Amino acid sequence: MSEELATLIRRADRATADAHRLIGENDLWRQRILQQFDRMFELGSEFRAPRRIERPPSTR
């Protein structure tokens, strides 16, 4: 095998390893974002829950 081919193979191996690492990082970010969306939705539904509105006493 020529030195040029060996260099190309090493570069391809490094690029593949980098791609796998980035995919893993991307998946972690995606999971965290989905968890944040879930929390935001839960908080939003708490704020939107129907509440009894008290009328101020009339001054008549």
Side-chain angles (χ1 to χ4, degrees), residues 3-57:
E3 184 61 34
E4 186 176 320
L5 181 58
T7 301
L8 288 174
I9 291 171
R10 283 193 300 273
R11 287 176 64 191
D13 287 342
R14 276 193 306 254
T16 301
D18 286 345
H20 284 286
R21 181 183 54 78
L22 291 171
I23 288 170
E25 287 180 18
N26 187 38
D27 193 44
L28 287 174
W29 278 103
R30 184 184 58 80
Q31 289 174 6
R32 289 179 185 150
I33 295 298
L34 290 175
Q35 289 171 349
Q36 288 178 2
F37 283 158
D38 287 343
R39 288 186 197 122
M40 288 169 58
F41 178 77
E42 290 169 4
L43 287 174
S45 64
E46 287 177 18
F47 286 114
R48 280 188 239 111
R51 296 181 183 160
R52 185 173 174 191
I53 299 174
E54 299 290 329
R55 297 181 107 184

